[in-house]
Amino acid sequence: MKEENCIFCKLANGEIPTATLYEDKDFRVILDVSPASKGHALIIPKEHYANLYELDDELAAKALVLAKKMITRLSDVLECDGYNIVQNNGEAAGQTVFHFHVHMIPRYKDDHVGLKWKTGELKNEDKEELLAKIK
C-alpha cells in the first residue's frame, strides 16, 4: 500500500525523478539529495511502512541483504574507507521522514560526518531491570 502524500512513496515508485542506483519489485535505491558524504544513498521500499516496526521479517531481512550488496559494490566505486548503515525509528531517534528507509553513508578518513555519540556505562541496576523484564 502506498500513501498518497508521502514523498518517499513517490520517490520509490518513480513519480519523482531520482538518481536511481538499483531497483527491484520491493525497493528502489537512490542517491540522497542532501548527502552526509559523497555517495550517500537510501534504500526505500516501494510500499509504505512508517518504520522498521511495521515491516514484516522477510522484507526487513531483504533490506539488510540489499544494504550489504550495495555497499560492497559502492565501496569499490567510491574508494571509501568504510560505511555507516543507519536506520532511524521515531522522532526521538532522528527520523524526519516517516517512511522506512536505510541510509548507506560512505565514510572517508577525516570526513567529519557527525555520527558519533558519547558512550556511557551499563549500570548493574539497569542491566538487572532490563533482563528481568525481557524474559
Side-chain angles (χ1 to χ4, degrees):
M1 177 168 67
K2 297 171 194 76
E3 199 167 281
E4 186 177 322
N5 295 320
C6 175
I7 191 165
F8 274 28
C9 282
K10 292 176 182 179
L11 290 167
N13 288 285
E15 295 172 40
I16 297 173
T18 63
T20 300
L21 301 174
Y22 173 86
E23 182 177 8
D24 64 24
K25 70 180 183 66
D26 296 314
F27 295 97
R28 184 179 294 246
V29 179
I30 66 171
L31 289 176
D32 194 314
V33 296
S34 300
S37 67
K38 179 182 177 182
H40 179 169
L42 303 173
I43 296 173
I44 308 172
K46 292 182 175 181
E47 296 295 322
H48 185 83
Y49 305 93
N51 51 47
L52 181 62
Y53 309 125
E54 293 185 3
L55 263 69
D56 64 47
D57 291 349
E58 183 179 323
L59 199 60
K62 187 174 180 183
L64 188 57
V65 169
L66 180 54
K68 178 185 177 208
K69 175 182 176 178
M70 294 303 301
I71 68 166
T72 299
R73 175 77 173 109
L74 289 168
S75 291
D76 290 338
V77 170
L78 295 166
E79 298 179 353
C80 58
D81 300 308
Y83 252 95
N84 287 116
I85 305 300
V86 179
Q87 202 285 304
N88 303 315
N89 294 282
E91 189 176 342
Q95 186 177 13
T96 58
V97 176
F98 294 89
H99 180 117
F100 171 85
H101 57 286
V102 178
H103 293 265
M104 297 178 296
I105 305 171
R107 299 304 303 270
Y108 304 90
K109 186 172 174 53
D110 300 321
D111 64 14
H112 305 291
V113 172
L115 294 176
K116 297 184 181 192
W117 54 85
K118 184 179 176 187
T119 59
E121 179 182 332
L122 177 60
K123 296 177 184 170
N124 195 48
E125 59 269 17
D126 292 342
K127 176 183 74 173
E128 295 303 325
E129 177 186 359
L130 182 56
L131 289 174
K133 288 181 178 179
I134 200 78
K135 291 180 182 182

